[in-house]
Amino acid sequence: MTISACSGSSARGDIELSSCPDILPVLDSNWEAGVAIDLKAVEQLATDQSSLKAAAGLAKPANWSGVGGSPDGALIWGECAGSGANPYRVMADLRDLGNKCTCPSRKFPCKHVLGLLWLNAESIVPFAPADTPAWVSDWLGRRRGTSAAKPASAGAPTVDKDLRAARALEPEAPEDPKDAARREAQAAKRNEDTERAILDALDALEQWIGDQLRLGLSSFIDDATARCRRIAARLVDGKAAALASRIDELPSRLLALAAGDRPRGAVVELGKLVLLARAFRATPRDAEIRRAVATSETRETVLADPQSPRVNGHWEVLAEQVQTRRDGLVSQTTWLLNLAASGPRFAMLLDFFPASAGRRGSVFTSGERFRGELVFYPSQQPLRALLVRRDAADETLVSEWPAPGHTLSDALTRPLLAEPWMIELPLLLPQGRIARDDSGAAWWRAADGTATLPVAGSAEGLLTGTELTRTAAIWSGNRLTILAAQSPWGRIDGHD
Amino acid sequence: MTETAGAEAIFEAMGAVVTRWTMGSTAAAAASFWRTELGDDPVEAELRLLALSGQFLGATVTAEPASALRVLPDIPPLALPTVAEALRPLVRRILAASKDAASRTELVHFLAARGWTTHPADWMPDASDEDAPDVYAAWRDWSAFTAAGATTQRQTNDQITVENWEDFWPAARKAALIGLRRRDPSAARALLEAKVGNENADARLRLVSLLSERLSDDDVAFLEGLVANDRAPKVKALATSMLARLGHGPAAGEDIAELAGFFSVKTKGLLRRSRVIDFQTPKTPARWQRRKALLDGTDLTSFAGALGLAPQDLIAAWDWKVDPAADAGLIKLIIETGTDAQLVQAAEIVSEHDATGLIVALAPRLAPTERAKFAVAGLRTHGFRFEIAQVIAGVAARLDDPLSAPAGAKLLAEIRRDDAKPSDHAEEFHALGVLASQAAAQQTSQRLTAAGLLQGDPRLDMLRLNAALDDQGEKP
């Protein structure tokens, strides 16, 4: 796992269109006339009619935030709410229609870029002149030469694309009550089948756990990868995908422990699996438990659920963790700290995309603060969230980090009462300092001497040479991964 | 749960439970206090025990350090302030875009020249980073003593003396010696005479090299002592070179006569007769090598003397750009064994002859004002690119209006080209950012954006940093 300072780079998705001869004359004439872009260029830029249709749906002010442009009008940017936890960052250079979006779409340009251009072409929202954000500057620095890239549509057979058709609303056919009833019945049957499949898979899991105890944890630890892979495959077949993914990662968590601590670690890991399986059996419809076993609700479900807590607040980006999982997906986790006195202290924005899609740009910069609205997935301890509105960055926000709400021992154990199968727990630590043992391993030690926690990996530089007045970290039961800290030197990023 | 089963008892039992499972045995019998919770079904009991034990071990057992913990001392504040918070992202981006350590070192030298230092979270020197500006000595020593396992910082605030020499870590000692040498050259030399013998060869080399500042005849005896007695050839060579700069080169031997044989002094001109060096071109590769070896082994005064000339006359009579290998050999001699005046004389002549490579070689030994002067001359008269001019000028230059030089006009023309790419001329823009004064950086940024570059263009990062950074540095 790596934690970056949220300034990751991406070449994927960059596109230069100056080699598109049918668009450039439109641009040139518009540029000369002082008009940024017209709809004809948007139409020609689209790879197909469906992209245009999707872009038409996005070209509405409600979908966008942080829209702006350079004072000379050459650059435009904005953030568009997508299906992920974070809005996508979209940017375009109107001089040559080079563009970039952080979404995982394989269409270039994607619907978000077309939507941004559409907003600009029709002046649907004002593109207020502003300083170029760092993420736009970063993209400019990485742009390839104009001859390096070819637009997806270049050389492809011309397909008729029509803006009017894209704008037209498709008439909705009146719904047949019988069809609706049939669909509902089918959905209920599917749910029932899924639940049955998961329960069968959990039976298999418990039997497998019993086998590991009978065969001895010593041999389990030696052969954890292969054994976990086998039961994970069985769980995938049984529609318990989230649990399968958790078990796939179990060996790496185990191997991160000292050899002498692995039997204890195995007992803790397997014990949590038993607890989770039992919890599912007791309440299979509980959204939180289902999320841990099967799949998460869709973004739409979370947004539509009145139980989903909505928190309008002032957030600081702590860090971004990017991890390539064994199933070929890359998870991008952004940790936010709520700077308000109350409400969920942390928020976790989680997105997945295929590793084959290449590196993906960061949505945030580490340390960035913003006001925005988050919708949390319903939970006893809300943590995973969706960012639904983000206001423009406010440089005047200078709130200090809040004080930890509980004693450290409470903070370490209280969440386990509600969610005993939890593996990672975000913590806000009180004043402390990094110390080293004789082997050079790093430990976080509370200033009052009441707690000492082992730190994952190495801690170097400023992190070890100053008092840490507050530390935001992830506790995994045996190691502390530092996300960021406050110190007399200001904010310090955690592990690199 | 049985009420009497306290945490201690459970903890005691966990050892046996984990051991049994590790070996593949059942463990329920070892946790009799949970008999009721575990039930009668032996398979179910093991799973229940696993759930309970896992939660207990996960919540109550955390690793403890096997040895006493060592807290590192605070990273000390430096004599110069840290760049403003608002500029840190720009500094980080320039550091991240730097291709190598030398580029990063250039940035921190630039900042130091303008009166600023980096934030320690953005850049810190290693203990062995000899190229770091002296203002970072305290951080270098912090790295050294943390690596050495020390927990207390040594005294570094006092002026360095024979008595407190050992209280200084190497980087602070070097910085203190530089300061002492500037204030009181004799005291610094006397201190070196007393202490340098106890250091290893690399440290001796670094310490003796500090004498090059305010080098004078007072240093001759000490340097001659090093030439005669030091155990390390590289220290002897350095002392010999310094002596040569003072006109105390080694006695001329047969080699110098052989070297003189590769050259002759002729006169030219009818009315104003002047002397010129004529090159006897070596006829075989072996002879070329021999000439190079002879040039490497002599000093400027001896070489000039062998040709019957004073050093300054030799530099004036040299026919530049006729024999590049001989040019390079002479420039090396001047750098290593010439006086400051001879160096400036050579730089002026070389500059007139438009010999870019030679002026770049001479630049590091020139004073900052001289460096800036030759950089401006190169830009205005010889069409140097900004990158070359910046190498000559170093990081302390503050050129006014560099964009009006031919290189600027060329750059402006290039960015207006239809086929200009977003990454074109990044090095030129960066060099321009280092060369310019703050006011010039502000004006240059405006002119470049007016010419079509975007304000956020990362190629302008260095210019933007320069423009935003209050110049608090010592002006050369």
Side-chain angles (χ1 to χ4, degrees):
Chain A
M1 182 188 292
T2 60
I3 300 179
S4 74
C6 303
S7 56
S9 62
S10 168
R12 194 203 64 78
D14 290 2
I15 186 162
E16 310 296 337
L17 293 167
S18 51
S19 56
C20 205
D22 51 342
I23 297 176
L24 287 179
V26 179
L27 286 172
D28 288 344
S29 60
N30 288 337
W31 189 254
E32 293 299 326
V35 180
I37 184 175
D38 75 2
L39 284 175
K40 192 175 173 202
V42 179
E43 186 178 272
Q44 289 179 341
L45 202 53
T47 53
D48 52 32
Q49 182 65 28
S50 65
S51 292
L52 271 184
K53 177 87 186 162
L58 289 173
K60 298 183 176 92
N63 292 316
W64 292 85
S65 58
V67 173
S70 56
D72 56 8
L75 276 180
I76 56 171
W77 58 81
E79 292 172 0
C80 182
S83 55
N86 296 303
Y88 301 125
R89 281 183 161 172
V90 193
M91 57 215 95
D93 184 341
L94 298 183
R95 297 171 307 175
D96 59 0
L97 283 192
N99 60 69
K100 164 80 181 153
C101 177
T102 56
C103 79
S105 169
R106 289 167 192 268
K107 278 188 185 177
F108 302 128
C110 66
K111 60 186 179 182
H112 309 103
V113 166
L114 295 173
L116 181 75
L117 294 171
W118 202 317
L119 289 181
N120 185 262
E122 293 216 309
S123 304
I124 295 168
V125 295
F127 282 74
D131 284 345
T132 313
W135 47 277
V136 178
S137 289
D138 286 345
W139 165 65
L140 284 174
R142 292 194 306 272
R143 282 185 70 188
R144 296 172 292 202
T146 48
S147 59
K150 296 277 187 287
S153 57
T158 308
V159 181
D160 283 342
K161 290 169 285 181
D162 185 355
L163 280 171
R164 277 174 306 176
R167 278 174 162 150
L169 292 173
E170 285 175 5
E172 288 184 14
E175 195 174 23
D176 181 349
K178 283 184 185 169
D179 281 350
R182 194 166 55 243
R183 265 202 309 279
E184 272 180 30
Q186 282 171 344
K189 171 85 168 45
R190 267 201 309 275
N191 275 342
E192 218 169 89
D193 289 348
T194 302
E195 205 169 293
R196 186 66 257 158
I198 293 174
L199 288 169
D200 287 348
L202 293 179
D203 286 344
L205 173 67
E206 288 198 355
Q207 190 174 350
W208 176 83
I209 293 171
D211 289 346
Q212 306 318 308
L213 294 179
R214 212 176 45 258
L215 294 168
L217 292 180
S218 176
S219 69
F220 169 68
I221 291 163
D222 290 343
D223 191 28
T225 303
R227 292 191 194 181
C228 288
R229 190 78 282 275
R230 280 197 290 274
I231 188 63
R234 169 70 185 87
L235 291 170
V236 169
D237 293 344
K239 302 188 189 306
L243 196 51
S245 167
R246 174 182 175 138
I247 291 176
D248 253 342
E249 304 301 328
L250 189 155
S252 64
R253 289 195 295 274
L254 216 48
L255 292 175
L257 300 174
D261 196 31
R262 286 178 193 158
R264 183 195 70 87
V267 169
V268 174
E269 288 277 356
L270 297 176
K272 284 177 191 278
L273 293 178
V274 174
L275 286 167
L276 185 52
R278 300 289 161 109
F280 186 88
R281 283 212 185 83
T283 49
R285 302 285 162 90
D286 182 288
E288 187 176 359
I289 294 171
R290 211 176 174 87
R291 211 177 295 140
V293 172
T295 54
S296 299
E297 309 91 307
T298 62
R299 176 186 170 90
E300 290 69 31
T301 309
V302 175
L303 294 179
D305 187 346
Q307 304 296 317
S308 304
R310 286 177 174 264
V311 180
N312 224 325
H314 178 190
W315 307 90
E316 177 171 325
V317 180
L318 291 171
E320 179 187 78
Q321 294 175 315
V322 178
Q323 186 179 17
T324 304
R325 309 191 319 171
R326 287 184 59 88
D327 59 9
L329 285 179
V330 174
S331 69
Q332 187 177 31
T333 310
T334 308
W335 291 98
L336 303 179
L337 178 72
N338 183 357
L339 297 172
S342 60
R345 181 55 60 221
F346 293 93
M348 179 184 77
L349 308 179
L350 184 59
D351 275 325
F352 297 98
F353 56 93
S356 57
R359 288 186 67 190
R360 198 172 165 203
S362 296
V363 181
F364 295 103
T365 307
S366 181
E368 182 180 358
R369 289 177 170 190
F370 64 93
R371 288 194 186 282
E373 184 179 2
L374 263 60
V375 176
F376 284 84
Y377 284 67
S379 166
Q380 292 187 63
Q381 301 172 120
L383 180 63
R384 188 173 171 189
L386 300 166
L387 178 58
V388 292
R389 202 197 73 250
R390 173 173 167 183
D391 299 336
D394 186 351
E395 301 298 332
T396 62
L397 299 174
V398 288
S399 322
E400 292 303 311
W401 284 12
H406 302 283
T407 62
L408 184 54
S409 62
D410 257 13
L412 287 169
T413 53
R414 189 188 290 263
L416 294 174
L417 294 173
E419 216 177 319
W421 47 85
M422 168 186 281
I423 5 184
E424 287 195 328
L425 172 65
L427 286 175
L428 190 58
L429 300 170
Q431 183 156 351
R433 191 159 181 129
I434 301 297
R436 286 192 176 148
D437 63 21
D438 286 348
S439 68
W443 298 75
W444 175 86
R445 189 160 74 179
D448 60 11
T450 53
T452 306
L453 300 174
V455 173
S458 61
E460 303 290 341
L462 181 57
L463 202 57
T464 61
T466 186
E467 201 68 28
L468 305 176
T469 48
R470 295 275 184 280
T471 302
I474 306 289
W475 175 245
S476 62
N478 44 59
R479 287 287 182 279
L480 200 61
T481 302
I482 295 176
L483 298 174
Q486 288 287 355
S487 76
W489 286 94
R491 185 199 145 93
I492 308 174
D493 283 334
H495 293 92
D496 291 325
Chain B
M1 185 189 300
T2 311
E3 283 179 11
T4 51
E8 283 295 322
I10 299 172
F11 187 78
E12 287 292 320
M14 283 299 112
V17 168
V18 174
T19 305
R20 286 182 179 214
W21 278 331
T22 304
M23 308 300 292
S25 310
T26 57
S32 55
F33 42 82
W34 279 335
R35 192 178 301 115
T36 315
E37 286 80 4
L38 300 186
D40 299 327
D41 177 350
V43 175
E44 176 65 13
E46 291 298 305
L47 288 177
R48 289 183 183 182
L49 180 59
L50 182 64
L52 288 166
S53 309
Q55 195 168 18
F56 181 85
L57 291 171
T60 60
V61 178
T62 51
E64 291 196 353
S67 58
L69 291 179
R70 180 169 64 93
V71 174
L72 304 182
D74 281 344
I75 290 175
L78 301 180
L80 295 178
T82 303
V83 289
E85 196 63 28
L87 292 179
R88 282 185 57 200
L90 207 46
V91 170
R92 279 199 295 268
R93 212 161 62 199
I94 297 170
L95 285 168
S98 301
K99 294 189 183 78
D100 48 32
S103 308
R104 288 187 284 278
T105 302
E106 178 201 80
L107 176 66
V108 293
H109 274 282
F110 170 83
L111 290 173
R114 300 291 169 107
W116 298 93
T117 51
T118 58
H119 189 282
D122 300 337
W123 184 85
M124 281 185 76
D126 292 335
S128 59
D129 193 347
E130 293 291 333
D131 295 329
D134 292 335
V135 68
Y136 290 94
W139 287 3
R140 282 184 54 201
D141 285 341
W142 183 87
S143 297
F145 58 66
T146 55
T151 52
T152 51
Q153 208 165 340
R154 296 186 199 171
Q155 172 64 264
T156 54
N157 294 328
D158 290 345
Q159 287 197 7
I160 191 164
T161 62
V162 173
E163 290 73 32
N164 68 9
W165 175 272
E166 295 301 331
D167 293 342
F168 285 75
W169 284 79
R173 184 181 296 153
K174 178 186 159 198
L177 264 172
I178 290 172
L180 182 62
R181 180 73 176 172
R182 283 179 188 152
R183 290 191 309 274
D184 186 349
S186 297
R189 187 191 58 255
L191 188 55
L192 279 183
E193 279 187 275
K195 302 303 289 187
V196 79
N198 302 329
E199 303 291 330
N200 65 35
D202 285 336
R204 288 203 304 282
L205 187 71
R206 282 194 295 271
L207 292 169
V208 172
S209 71
L210 302 182
L211 293 180
S212 61
E213 177 131 7
R214 301 192 66 178
L215 187 66
S216 72
D217 282 341
D218 295 343
D219 301 316
V220 169
F222 172 54
L223 291 171
E224 284 176 344
L226 289 174
V227 172
N229 303 320
D230 200 279
R231 301 177 298 280
K234 51 192 173 186
V235 176
K236 286 186 176 197
L238 177 63
T240 305
S241 149
M242 286 180 163
L243 280 170
R245 282 192 217 172
L246 295 167
H248 295 261
E254 288 180 9
D255 282 355
I256 199 71
E258 186 185 353
L259 176 61
F262 285 97
F263 306 91
S264 59
V265 183
K266 295 191 171 175
T267 53
K268 67 172 185 180
L270 293 172
L271 295 176
R272 294 180 60 196
R273 296 185 66 76
S274 60
R275 283 177 293 193
V276 66
I277 303 294
D278 191 40
F279 303 99
Q280 312 294 312
T281 307
K283 295 203 166 34
T284 65
R287 295 296 292 157
W288 280 100
Q289 286 299 321
R290 179 62 183 157
R291 190 183 73 175
K292 182 177 182 306
L294 291 169
L295 274 169
D296 286 346
T298 188
D299 64 279
L300 183 63
T301 308
S302 303
F303 179 40
L307 291 170
L309 299 171
Q312 61 272 26
D313 295 334
L314 171 64
I315 294 167
W318 195 263
D319 200 4
W320 299 95
K321 295 179 77 173
V322 172
D323 182 340
D327 288 352
L330 180 66
I331 288 293
K332 188 163 177 282
L333 271 188
I334 296 168
I335 293 168
E336 289 176 356
T337 64
T339 62
D340 291 348
Q342 288 156 0
L343 203 78
V344 173
Q345 181 202 5
E348 280 173 348
I349 294 174
V350 162
S351 177
E352 285 166 15
H353 283 80
D354 199 9
T356 311
L358 301 180
I359 192 90
V360 167
L362 290 166
R365 255 201 71 192
L366 292 170
T369 44
E370 296 291 341
R371 296 182 72 168
K373 185 181 85 179
F374 289 117
V376 170
L379 280 171
R380 304 270 177 226
T381 317
H382 304 302
F384 283 5
R385 292 187 296 119
F386 290 122
E387 212 181 341
I388 299 291
Q390 195 267 308
V391 173
I392 294 168
V395 293
R398 293 163 171 86
L399 303 194
D400 294 322
D401 197 17
L403 202 58
S404 63
K410 191 177 170 201
L411 199 56
L412 286 167
E414 289 284 334
I415 59 177
R416 289 189 178 115
R417 285 168 58 118
D418 291 341
D419 58 349
K421 295 175 188 168
S423 57
D424 282 350
H425 311 294
E427 294 82 6
E428 280 289 89
F429 288 111
H430 179 85
L432 192 50
V434 179
L435 276 174
S437 65
Q438 186 189 10
Q442 290 162 351
Q443 290 157 5
T444 304
S445 293
Q446 286 166 6
R447 286 183 64 189
L448 288 171
T449 47
L453 284 190
L454 295 167
Q455 283 180 335
D457 194 314
R459 288 175 293 176
L460 301 184
D461 280 352
M462 192 66 214
L463 267 170
R464 279 210 298 274
L465 176 65
N466 186 343
L469 199 65
D470 281 342
D471 189 350
Q472 303 178 355
E474 285 177 27
K475 309 294 184 295

